[in-house]
Every structure is written in structure tokens, then in C-alpha cells.
Amino acid sequence: MAEVIRMPKMSDTMEEGVIASWLVKEGDEVKSGDILAEVETDKATMELESYEDGVLLHIGVREKDAVPVDGVIAVIGKKGEDISALLKEIESGAGAEQPAEPAPAASDNGASSAPEPVDASDVKATVITMPKMSDTMEEGTIASWLKKVGDEVKSGDILAEVETDKATMELEAYEDGTLLYIGVKDGESVAVDGVIAIVGEKGADYEKLLKAHEASAGAVSAAAPVAEEQPVAQEEKSAATPAPVPVSTSGNGATGTTDNGRIKVSPLARKMAQDKGYDLAQIKGTGDSGRIIKRDVEQFTPSAQPVAAPATAGETASAPVALPQVVGEESFEEENVSQMRKTIAKRLSESKFTAPHFYVTMEINMDKAVEARKSINEVAPVKISFNDIVIKGVAAALRLHPKVNASWLGDKIRYNKHIHIGVAVAVDEGLLVPVVRFADSKSLSHISSEVKQLAEKAHNKKLQPNEWEGNTFTVSNLGMFGVEEFTAIINPPDACILAVGGIKQTAVVKDGQLVPGNVMKVTLSCDHRVVDGALGAAFLKTLKGILEDPVRILI
């Protein structure tokens, strides 16, 4: 029986995915665990794994095309199996799920087989079900219970440790109350959305709640809608498939390959190699399992090619000077918008057109910061950058101006007591903002090491959700690109973002004398609903004082 492959939800904010590349084609035999395609989400490029053995009978999405979460991607079944009826169901919107067997109207005693609805609105308790803790998770195993029936629990308490197909993770309680019921013993497995436990008031009728949950779950599964998908013609798919990169048998290093000889390479690295005309078989991969990544292509030096002999001096002198007629041809290239770029466009458009921005710019004398950095780097275990000093200085200034460390929530303003600094990192497809948590409590060396690790993960698309969420203030630094001054769009949910320019040596007045000095310009973008001009200016004045005398951040 043919199985439909749908687009999984690979991140918390994912609404659709783009097929970056197909690694198999229609007619290929696939096994459970084989990688079918590489899928580009709004966060990273991930591999789509097969969970069925069989033959790839149908591909419903071309490369570079987007498909919503739960949309049909492909169909896997037995060789020669007729799936025309299944494709018609998908095309008509009837869904690709197999029709359920018709239930008998009544049992022998005349009772309906459908569960009767149960009203449990008077039961003050909550059913806890198995959450989907990874994109490929179908069931979880209770490794161990940390609470037992009758124990009091609070929101945030860890109830149990759950073993998924990826890792062992903690199951957290989101309600205060008493653990009334445990539905799965240690070592037992339960499917995603299966009942694990019930938490509520002591003495609540949890059995009634269980019956109500079972009845509603049965009704939902019977009437679950299926996303509508339009199959793509095979002729179109074949025409849109790019020519493969040639693979030779020689090279200067081993590359990671699968059992069928396929070279493991990220979509970005593959495109870079195609653009540069490199042979992937000659490039040594340094990623996971020998996977070729962007860095490998950038650092690869192709074999030297023969160079044509230059013309002699006589030939050059005798050749007449002629200006050839240049005939130009207008051309352009269009690319589908990546998931990351879509998310950036959506979030920053909402920020720019919803939050009333105003900007405050200030010059900062960085002479002492330059001297301090040079002295610090003589003893620091890692190299400290000016950006690290700015992050530490911002954190110290936020501690003195807590009302800048805030968020607009519509009917209220949230003043954060913790300081999590988002650090804007430019990547090939856009911008990511990993977060340095509790930056005010960390040393410069700690901040420097963490920023370097987060930036590397961002470039390799390996950031985890807890590494890009939770910022309370953002720093965007373009100084390393020679930019002297710019304004930045506020990164939600922050109320402010600091745009940092480069340090420029210029003439400054000191003690009535014109002397050379190192000046850096910073611009604070503020959400006027939260921060007023005087508050923004006061924050910048404090930051200026800290950076002009950086020993203050060590206090």
C-alpha cells in the first residue's frame, strides 16, 4: 500500500519548506533511513528522511519550490503499484490518507460503536500528552518518572525524562496541582499526543476526564482534514532539475559518500562549486561524516591549468590598436525567496511599520578602549574584539537603565530583569541573531568565546531554538565593513537596537588642542511606545562613559 510523504514541521516557526534538492528520483528504490531530499526552512537546511521501504513512485514538488507544512511531497510504494486514484484524491483535496473501514452501525446489543461524548468541563484537571520533541519523532519512551502519583507539582517542574529518536529530554509541567494519574510506566513507549499523565486538583475525577479525552480524540481523528496539494507533472520536474556536478575519480582528499556513491554536500556548497566550476570529488569535506560545506569550497584550490604563452614584444608593437564594437545583451536571473529571507521580511516589516522608531546618535572617543583592548589581549585566553567590549558595555548600561531593557506587549510593557543581548550575524542568505544570555554577568573572555561559537553555528545553520530566542536588546555592528554610521530596524520583541559603526581616526579637540583621536559613532533605534527620547539619550550617555573609560565594566 502506497504511503504519502508530507512536509514535516521542522522548527517552531516553520509554515512552509523549500525543496533545496532531491537526492533521489522517481523510480529509485529507497529504504527506511535514506535521505530523500534537503529541505530549506526559515532556520536551516535539513535532511528529509524516509521512514518506508519501497520505490519512489511520485514526486509532487520540484526543486526550489515551496510547500506548506503537511503538504504532499512524494509517494512511496511497491514497484509498479497504481497510484492514479491516490493522486486524484490529492489533486481534488480529498487528502492522501487511506479511507477508514466503515464502522458498523450498531453492535449486537444495538449500541453504537462510536464513543459517546463525555462532558468533563467540571473536572479541574489537565491531560498531559506526549509532545512532538523532534521533527521525526513518532513516539517517546518514558526513561524515568521524577514524580509519582499524589505528588504536588508546580509549573516548571520536571515530571519525567523522555527518550526520543534524537535524545533524552525533560518533560516539563505547565500546570500547578497534584499528579493524579500516570498512564505510562518507566520503559514503556507512547505515540505522540498519547496520554501520559493527568495533573489537577486533589481528588478530581480524572477517570471522567480520560473518557472525555478518548471520545474527543476519536472524533478528531475521524474528521481530520488533509491539506490540498497539486501534483507536478513529471515533464516539468525533469526540465527543472539542474545538471549534476561532474564527479571524477581523482582528487586531493577523501569526501564523504553514501553507500550508493553520492557525495555528501550542503546545497550552498554545491551551488558555490557549480558557480566556480569545481569538481566536488576533488574537495575534501570537513563537516559531519565528511560532508562538504561552504568553508571547504572557499578554501579549495583547484589544480593549476596551463596558461597560454604571452605575445612577444614585437607582436604587441605591430598589432594595430582597434576598439571592437561592443554589443550588450540585457539579462537577469530570478531566484525564489528563501525561508530565512521570508521570515526576515515579515518580522522586520512588522517592526518598522508597527513600532514608531526614533533614532539617537552619539560619538564615542575610543582611545582608552583601544589601549585597554591591546592590554587585555596580552593576557586574555581568547582574542577580545571591540564588539565584545561593546556588548559588555551595553549590558552594564542596561543594568543602570532597566527601562530600556523592555518590550511592548500591546496592553502592557514588560521590563526584563535579565539581560540577554542579541548579536546580529550576517550569513549568506540573510541575518541571524544568536543570543548571549546574562551578558552582564559574563567576563569579556566568556562573551568573546560564546559569540565566536554562536557565529560559527549561525554560518553552518546549526543554531538551536534556545540560542536564537529570548533577546531583550540587540547589537548590530557593521564597523568591520568600514561603515561609519547607520540606523537599524528594531528586532522584536526588543524595544531598542544599537547600530555600531567603525572606529575612525580623526582630529579631535582635547584640552583645547587639536589632536588625533579614535572616534566611533553609535545610533540607538528606539520604540517610542516604550522608550522616550530623554531615556534613550541617557542610556547612550551612560554607554559613552563606559566605553570611554572601559575599566568601569570590570567593576
Side-chain angles (χ1 to χ4, degrees):
M1 181 98 36
E3 293 289 339
V4 174
I5 309 299
R6 297 180 178 275
M7 175 63 71
K9 189 176 180 70
M10 295 176 168
S11 78
D12 54 323
T13 58
M14 178 178 171
E15 296 179 356
E16 65 179 12
V18 172
I19 301 297
S21 62
W22 280 103
L23 305 182
V24 292
K25 61 183 182 297
E26 288 188 0
D28 284 356
E29 289 191 6
V30 295
K31 294 182 179 180
S32 178
D34 285 355
I35 306 303
L36 302 179
E38 292 176 324
V39 177
E40 178 187 313
T41 73
D42 57 335
K43 303 294 186 185
T45 299
M46 306 179 73
E47 294 178 335
L48 178 68
E49 186 176 336
S50 173
Y51 296 101
E52 303 290 336
D53 295 343
V55 175
L56 189 62
L57 301 175
H58 170 71
I59 290 179
V61 184
R62 292 176 296 180
E63 290 186 350
K64 310 305 179 185
D65 281 357
V67 60
V69 170
D70 291 331
V72 175
I73 299 176
V75 178
I76 293 177
K78 296 180 179 179
K79 187 173 183 179
E81 184 175 352
D82 184 8
I83 60 170
S84 56
L86 184 60
L87 294 179
K88 286 181 180 178
E89 287 183 11
I90 297 173
E91 183 177 0
S92 64
E97 297 295 332
Q98 298 302 319
E101 292 294 330
S107 61
D108 293 339
N109 58 8
S112 171
S113 61
E116 292 292 336
V118 178
D119 182 11
S121 58
D122 58 332
V123 180
K124 296 182 179 180
T126 302
V127 174
I128 298 175
T129 59
M130 175 63 72
K132 190 176 179 70
M133 294 176 169
S134 76
D135 54 301
T136 58
M137 178 177 170
E138 295 181 351
E139 65 176 16
T141 300
I142 301 296
S144 65
W145 280 102
L146 305 182
K147 299 285 185 180
K148 60 182 183 297
V149 173
D151 284 356
E152 295 289 327
V153 297
K154 294 183 179 180
S155 177
D157 285 355
I158 306 303
L159 300 178
E161 292 180 331
V162 177
E163 182 182 324
T164 73
D165 57 338
K166 303 289 187 185
T168 298
M169 307 177 73
E170 294 176 335
L171 177 68
E172 185 177 337
Y174 296 99
E175 303 286 341
D176 295 345
T178 301
L179 186 57
L180 303 173
Y181 169 78
I182 290 179
V184 186
K185 298 178 182 178
D186 288 358
E188 291 185 349
S189 300
V190 60
V192 170
D193 293 330
V195 176
I196 299 175
I198 296 178
V199 173
E201 285 189 355
K202 192 171 184 178
D205 187 0
Y206 68 84
E207 293 182 352
K208 183 177 181 182
L209 187 61
L210 272 177
K211 292 178 181 178
H213 180 81
E214 291 172 359
S216 62
V220 169
S221 62
V226 180
E228 181 176 345
E229 279 296 323
Q230 183 73 22
V232 179
Q234 174 64 20
E235 291 78 14
E236 292 182 350
K237 183 192 80 65
S238 301
T241 304
V245 177
V247 178
S248 72
T249 57
S250 63
N252 58 2
T255 60
T257 58
T258 60
D259 294 338
N260 59 11
R262 178 177 66 83
I263 296 177
K264 294 183 179 179
V265 56
S266 73
L268 178 59
R270 182 186 297 277
K271 185 176 186 306
M272 290 175 63
Q274 287 178 333
D275 293 342
K276 295 176 181 291
Y278 292 169
D279 185 347
L280 286 175
Q282 294 183 351
I283 302 176
K284 183 177 181 180
T286 60
D288 296 338
S289 303
R291 182 185 180 91
I292 300 172
I293 57 180
K294 173 190 172 186
R295 179 178 63 247
D296 302 324
V297 179
E298 291 177 336
Q299 297 177 353
F300 174 68
T301 303
S303 303
Q305 299 296 327
V307 181
T312 64
E315 291 173 340
T316 304
S318 61
V321 177
L323 298 177
Q325 182 180 4
V326 178
V327 179
E329 180 181 355
E330 295 183 354
S331 63
F332 60 87
E333 180 181 354
E334 293 182 349
E335 293 183 359
N336 291 336
V337 179
S338 68
Q339 294 302 106
M340 183 183 296
R341 182 57 62 184
K342 286 182 182 178
T343 303
I344 292 171
K346 180 180 178 182
R347 285 173 54 85
L348 295 188
S349 295
E350 289 175 353
S351 173
K352 183 66 175 176
F353 299 121
T354 302
H357 286 53
F358 75 89
Y359 309 95
V360 184
T361 301
M362 190 170 286
E363 279 190 354
I364 300 176
N365 189 313
M366 296 292 287
D367 285 346
K368 289 187 177 180
V370 171
E371 294 176 3
R373 175 176 177 262
K374 182 178 179 181
S375 178
I376 290 171
N377 278 333
E378 290 178 356
V379 295
V382 293
K383 186 177 180 181
I384 306 299
S385 68
F386 286 111
N387 195 52
D388 301 328
I389 296 174
V390 170
I391 293 170
K392 182 66 176 177
V394 165
L398 287 173
R399 183 56 65 200
L400 298 174
H401 298 276
K403 289 191 174 181
V404 176
N405 194 41
S407 303
W408 176 262
L409 301 181
D411 57 348
K412 54 188 173 183
I413 298 174
R414 173 177 294 170
Y415 295 106
N416 300 293
K417 296 183 179 180
H418 56 278
I419 296 175
H420 293 347
I421 306 294
V423 183
V425 176
V427 295
D428 291 330
E429 298 175 12
L431 191 73
L432 291 174
V433 186
V435 180
V436 178
R437 299 179 182 276
F438 307 107
D440 57 321
S441 303
K442 294 178 177 178
S443 67
L444 281 171
S445 297
H446 192 154
I447 290 173
S448 178
S449 297
E450 189 169 340
V451 169
K452 288 180 175 65
Q453 291 173 4
L454 291 171
E456 184 176 359
K457 285 187 175 182
H459 285 293
N460 294 333
K461 292 187 175 182
K462 291 185 178 180
L463 284 175
Q464 298 301 309
N466 65 314
E467 294 172 325
W468 72 64
E469 296 174 342
N471 48 285
T472 62
F473 189 99
T474 301
V475 173
S476 180
N477 192 340
L478 294 180
M480 65 285 293
F481 298 106
V483 175
E484 294 183 15
E485 180 183 358
F486 70 103
T487 59
I489 300 174
I490 295 169
N491 178 36
D494 302 347
C496 297
I497 183 172
L498 186 72
V500 182
I503 298 175
K504 180 182 179 182
Q505 193 169 51
T506 186
V508 299
V509 178
K510 186 174 182 180
D511 299 329
Q513 301 293 322
L514 200 61
V515 297
N518 296 285
V519 174
M520 180 179 74
K521 286 186 179 181
V522 296
T523 300
L524 184 68
S525 304
C526 304
D527 183 345
H528 216 325
R529 298 171 299 182
V530 182
V531 176
D532 294 325
L535 178 58
F539 170 81
L540 275 191
K541 183 178 179 181
T542 300
L543 178 63
K544 175 182 172 73
I546 290 172
L547 294 181
E548 288 187 343
D549 191 10
V551 70
R552 295 169 59 182
I553 63 177
L554 304 177
I555 299 174

